Amino acid sequence: MTGTALTTEIEAALSQAARFPRLRYMGSKYKLAPQLAAVFADLGTGGTFLDAFSGSGFVGYLAKALGYQVTSNDYMNYGRVIASAAIASDGHCLPDELIARIAGPARDDRDFVQTTFDGVFFDRADRAFIDSAWSHIEYLDGFDRDLALAALILSAARKQPRGVFTISGDLSRYDDGRRDLRIPLQQHFIEHALRWNQTSIRSGREHLALQGDAMTLDRTEYDVVYLDPPYAPPSDDADYTKRYHFLEGLSDYWSGGLGEIMQNTKTKKIPKRHSLFANKRTAEVALRTMFEKFAGSSALVVSYSSNSVPGADWMLRELGAVKPRVDVVEVPHTYHFGTHGLATRRQATEYIFVARD
Ligand SMILES: C[S@@+](CC[C@H](N)C(=O)[O-])C[C@H]1O[C@@H](n2cnc3c(N)ncnc32)[C@H](O)[C@@H]1O
């Protein structure tokens, strides 16, 4: 492909990806879209692509927009649901009649969310809507079910201040007048269901959305393997369950209302799902295992941040042990922490390591 054709292809993919319904998600790579698109396009589009830690689903979506055949994976079920709706559904739409039915009167009188999260998340009407929506979703399957759930997940994430479920109770101090915080969840649902319908691109190829530990994925050979594991900060660990437990529960109705809830926690969390990548004591072994596992793939693309361990030198050395050529793209990045008055900024470098034959 000529330089101009490549640039046009990248620009088209970026403008498609800009329409992706965003989740405010820890570690999401929206901001790195131009650099990632350039790397993926340079590796040759049209081949097979694995997004092993898919999170918000954005990177797999970008790869699909570039022409790749995508497999997405995350160990959280809500990640699988979003990737299924955004990528694997391949143009399938949730029919208007089903959107209206889910947004309409309840099919039964279940009240798991209303009682479990009373005084914790959302107001009475919004909690009742979640129970009511699930009374219909329970009877759906395939892409209809995942598109409906993706709409419900996006609704809850957008209506919760800051998009994280570590804060609960009276959250009026976060109300900055944004429409997302004011409209009922039911209206969010209708709008997001329509948005997911418009998001899914039809390619005519089979794309997969999986849920599981990246360490145990069966297939190991792809044209491009993208690894964006949780960053292991020097202290603490990057805990996705703590922040997004409500979305995970929502994705399967807390295992049909039978799943374990830690009743002594303020936010009614589900038990933590451990990740070897998120902890500084185990991250090195976990990353090395992944590099060796996917060494037979044509290219490994790894996102990592200078805020985390192990460092860039370690990554270069270990990737160099499985591939003859390793390039690094460095992108300066500013993180914002806290809210408004208390917001602080921290400079970091986002690395994209590209290891290939
Ligand atoms: C940095 S985020 C990925 C962000 C993603 N690239 C995006 O743009 O939204 C890391 C993801 O890894 C997932 N994760 C953590 N441990 C995992 C494991 N062992 N296997 C698969 N996924 C895992 C988390 O649920 C989280 O979604």
Side-chain angles (χ1 to χ4, degrees):
M1 203 182 287
T2 65
T4 322
L6 202 58
T7 310
T8 312
E9 190 182 18
I10 292 171
E11 278 168 6
L14 286 173
S15 84
Q16 174 74 43
R19 293 200 286 271
F20 187 84
R22 290 184 181 194
L23 207 62
R24 193 168 165 177
Y25 195 66
M26 177 168 72
S28 71
K29 295 295 173 291
Y30 305 121
K31 291 226 172 79
L32 294 185
Q35 291 83 4
L36 286 171
V39 166
F40 299 152
D42 180 50
L43 291 172
T45 55
T48 53
F49 184 102
L50 171 68
D51 183 3
F53 302 84
S54 61
S56 71
F58 175 75
V59 177
Y61 187 77
L62 177 65
K64 183 178 175 187
L66 281 162
Y68 281 101
Q69 183 174 22
V70 176
T71 299
S72 288
N73 175 74
D74 201 280
Y75 80 160
M76 300 299 254
N77 189 47
Y78 65 78
R80 180 201 64 76
V81 167
I82 293 171
S84 173
I87 303 169
S89 65
D90 209 52
H92 179 98
C93 286
L94 185 65
D96 290 348
E97 179 269 316
L98 282 181
I99 298 175
R101 193 188 306 165
I102 297 166
R107 182 170 173 157
D108 58 38
D109 61 358
R110 65 181 67 207
D111 63 358
F112 177 81
V113 172
Q114 291 164 81
T115 52
T116 309
F117 297 100
D118 186 8
V120 182
F121 298 123
F122 307 121
D123 63 20
R124 187 183 296 274
D126 283 346
R127 286 193 302 276
F129 173 69
I130 295 175
D131 282 324
S132 170
W134 250 106
S135 75
H136 298 286
I137 292 173
E138 176 144 342
Y139 295 92
L140 303 182
D141 56 16
F143 293 127
D144 281 348
R145 183 179 175 112
D146 288 342
L147 281 157
L149 283 174
L152 203 54
I153 288 166
L154 192 57
S155 303
R158 288 275 175 87
K159 186 135 191 204
Q160 170 72 355
R162 297 172 56 205
V164 290
F165 294 86
T166 46
I167 50 174
S168 62
D170 177 9
L171 301 177
S172 51
R173 66 185 179 283
Y174 296 103
D175 189 346
D176 54 7
R178 261 184 311 132
R179 179 176 180 271
D180 273 350
L181 301 182
R182 292 180 177 267
I183 61 171
L185 266 190
Q186 181 199 40
Q187 190 174 339
H188 270 282
F189 173 79
I190 295 168
E191 292 180 11
H192 296 317
L194 295 172
R195 283 198 74 191
W196 284 121
N197 277 353
Q198 290 155 4
T199 300
S200 181
I201 322 164
R202 169 141 183 79
S203 69
R205 300 173 85 184
E206 190 190 16
H207 305 265
L208 297 175
L210 310 175
Q211 182 203 354
D213 191 325
M215 303 271 249
T216 62
L217 281 165
D218 289 336
R219 179 172 163 187
T220 55
E221 295 194 6
Y222 292 85
D223 292 307
V224 178
V225 171
Y226 176 65
L227 304 176
D228 184 19
Y231 299 147
S235 56
D236 198 6
D237 68 5
D239 184 349
Y240 282 81
T241 334
K242 182 170 80 189
R243 287 173 177 79
Y244 305 111
H245 61 94
F246 190 86
L247 304 183
E248 186 64 359
L250 188 56
S251 76
D252 70 352
Y253 201 64
W254 290 264
S255 306
L258 299 173
E260 189 186 344
I261 292 201
M262 297 159 77
Q263 293 294 353
N264 58 346
T265 57
K266 207 170 153 214
T267 58
K268 307 289 174 199
K269 287 192 290 189
I270 58 173
K272 176 169 168 162
R273 209 158 296 164
H274 290 277
S275 174
L276 295 179
F277 299 91
N279 188 298
K280 69 173 194 301
R281 287 190 307 281
T282 48
E284 285 189 10
V285 174
L287 285 166
R288 188 181 295 128
T289 307
M290 289 296 278
F291 299 164
E292 287 167 359
K293 179 179 173 85
F294 292 104
S297 289
S298 312
L300 302 183
V301 180
V302 186
S303 276
Y304 227 63
S305 160
S306 61
N307 281 336
S308 45
V309 290
D313 291 344
W314 186 92
M315 299 290 270
L316 277 173
R317 199 174 59 242
E318 294 291 328
L319 283 166
V322 296
K323 287 287 175 199
R325 175 175 166 195
V326 186
D327 301 309
V328 193
V329 180
E330 291 188 29
V331 188
H333 186 68
T334 308
Y335 287 91
H336 297 265
F337 290 99
T339 50
H340 316 300
L342 296 174
T344 56
R345 290 158 174 229
R346 196 162 70 189
Q347 285 297 132
T349 302
E350 286 284 338
Y351 296 106
I352 305 169
F353 299 96
V354 187
R356 61 180 110 172
D357 293 325

